[in-house]
Amino acid sequence: MHGLQGREMEQLFLLMTDTLPVGVAVLDLDLRLLFINRRHAELNRVPITEQLGHPIRDYLPQVADIIEPKMRFVLETGIPLVGQEIRGNGPGNEDDKLFRLASYYPRRDDSGNICGILALIQDASIDSVEAQLAEESKQRLLQVLDNLFAFVGVLDMDGTLLECNRAPLEAAGITVDDVRGKKLWDTYWWSHDPELAQQLKEAINRCRNGETVRYDVHAKMINDSRMWVDFMLAPLRDEAGKVTHLIPSGIDISKRHDSEAALHQSEDRYRSVIESSDDAIITKSLEGIITGWNPAAERLLGYSAKEALGKPITMLFPAALLGEEQHLLRRISNGERIPPFDTVRIHKAGHFVDVSITISPLRDRNGKVIGACKLAHDIGSKKRQWAALEQALEEKTALLHEVHHRVKNNLQIVSSLLKLQARQAPEEVARVLGESQSRIRAMALVHQLLYDSEMMSEIELSEFINRLIALTVASHDTTKLGIKLHYSGPDKSIFMSAHRMIPLGLVINELVLNAIKHAFPADWLAERSPLQARIDIRLQEISDDKLHLQVADNGRGLSSEFNWDAAKGLGTQLIPMFVAQLHGELETTSTNAGSCFTIAISPKRKGIA
């Protein structure tokens, strides 16, 4: 307020204080009145012109002896006096009593010296205060009631509506004149349902006798809509305790009612799921006390819900597994979910039950862990089924071993018979019988390897080829012929199904036998002495689904007229047929430095169908 002159300051002060409900006065050191606001003048009941410039004794002589000592004390000590009671006669007759609450504060000039008094005065007379408080209370109550979205009204003793607040009128689209003077059960809100009207009549009769009645009702609102209301009817009594009026009230609980209905529906669904579950569902507290037990738990463990609820969960544990429960509770308390695990529990009858259990923490609305929920699934039948399957598998494995063993033995018998027959046959026939014997040995080797292996459907390629080469060397005495057989394969194991292994073995057998018979004639070797006759069998992994099997020799090579389609020898005719059975591709190359036969095939790896 810098820049305002004294007169301007006085006018501004006057404007500000005149709006206050408290009396304000300014006095000098001689206790002469320098300023007084309108409220203070009203409290003193003396015109302002008769007070300004005058000491207190001139316009309030009746209470001057009370006021002046208090003001002198403030001027002399600089200590304010707050909430001082001022009682005495007013400026009128003796019945005019004053009761004021006054506070006196020292005024100081720019140098800090006391230059007067600031007085704040309030009317404290009982009648004035009570009247003001009552009026203010009434206005506040009416304002609150009118702004409440609730039904609040007043009924006569016979149920006639005398007053009601605004909110339910607006919600129903009606005015107070539409309902005032009517019986409550005949008013718009309740007239849609005769049973409800009768219920209200009975409630009013009970309330007249001093009883408070409360229940939920379905009230009618605007456009014939409905609202769920928490309705209460209470008696209003006078000071003697007599019921004089009835007070109906109601609160909109539509959302709560809908939420409760949804909650009940959800609980019903949850209960239905729990009760119809084939798995045992058991809940427990963090202390290990059973708090929930569904019918499946009774079927699995024998105890009824009545027998199980409130009992320690450890009654289901074998003695050797009691430590398991403490460990589980610690993990659940930390909010962990326990993945499924297989364990054993005790049936009411005393026998063990094999179960698979999953445990999850139970939390309250604040997310705090308050217990655990266990799902127990009976795996006894599954374990019995697995045991039966394992037994059947063992039996079938033993049977397959026996089959392969017998097939191998039968093939060896056939091979032996051919060998015996060859001893008595002419040379050319004996040669043919020997070739047939080699083919039978190749097939027998497949069954021998299957019999020796734990795997009943696949054979490791390198092991098979090495064993086949060894049989060829032994039966044809390649060392005596001066021919060396050599195999090279990949570092890792490669598997092929048994039914494909037989044509593969026969292909290798035919290619090696052809090389032994035709690639190294004696006159050709004599010309190239000391050349070492050699047959190489190589297995290469080109990709995950492609193998190259090569049979190569360093012999004289094929004739320029060689053609697989025109071949007349049995072995030469069998090779393309076996390659076709393998769904492979055959590539042939030949020079005067030898021949090479490459077969491209796809393996069947272990674990891949």
Side-chain angles (χ1 to χ4, degrees), residues 95 97 99 123-135:
D95 295 330
K97 302 294 183 182
F99 178 25
D123 185 3
S125 63
I126 295 176
D127 293 341
S128 175
V129 171
E130 287 184 349
Q132 182 178 356
L133 290 176
E135 181 62 25

Side-chain angles (χ1 to χ4, degrees), residues 183-228:
K183 303 300 183 187
L184 180 62
W185 54 83
D186 289 332
T187 56
Y188 176 86
W189 302 287
W190 327 108
S191 59
H192 63 287
D193 187 348
E195 292 186 5
L196 178 57
Q198 182 60 37
Q199 190 178 15
L200 286 173
K201 291 179 183 179
E202 295 173 358
I204 288 172
N205 287 331
R206 292 166 59 188
C207 190
R208 275 200 296 260
N209 294 323
E211 184 180 350
T212 297
V213 183
R214 184 175 181 178
Y215 48 80
D216 293 352
V217 294
H218 217 188
K220 179 181 177 182
M221 292 297 161
I222 193 169
N223 297 325
D224 203 28
S225 60
R226 298 293 183 268
M227 176 190 294
W228 278 104

Side-chain angles (χ1 to χ4, degrees), residues 236-338:
L236 180 64
R237 302 175 186 271
D238 59 16
E239 294 179 355
K242 180 183 178 181
V243 177
T244 60
H245 294 83
L246 311 179
I247 307 298
S249 63
I251 300 174
D252 178 11
I253 57 168
S254 297
K255 291 184 178 179
R256 188 190 79 187
H257 194 275
D258 292 343
S259 298
E260 289 176 350
L263 179 61
H264 289 317
Q265 187 176 10
S266 176
E267 289 176 346
D268 290 341
R269 286 197 300 267
Y270 171 78
R271 189 177 298 108
S272 175
V273 169
I274 295 297
E275 292 182 355
S276 62
S277 173
D278 290 333
D279 290 337
I281 300 177
I282 304 169
T283 60
K284 64 179 180 180
S285 68
L286 292 179
E287 291 74 32
I289 302 302
I290 298 173
T291 57
W293 189 270
N294 74 334
E298 180 176 350
R299 293 192 296 270
L300 178 65
L301 298 167
Y303 295 95
S304 66
K306 184 177 180 181
E307 292 172 318
L309 293 176
K311 301 295 176 54
I313 193 76
T314 50
M315 73 177 187
L316 306 174
F317 282 65
L321 296 180
L322 289 177
E324 175 187 292
E325 173 64 5
Q326 297 302 318
H327 173 68
L328 294 175
L329 281 175
R330 281 195 297 271
R331 294 181 63 184
I332 286 296
S333 298
N334 293 329
E336 293 185 47
R337 181 181 182 275
I338 312 298

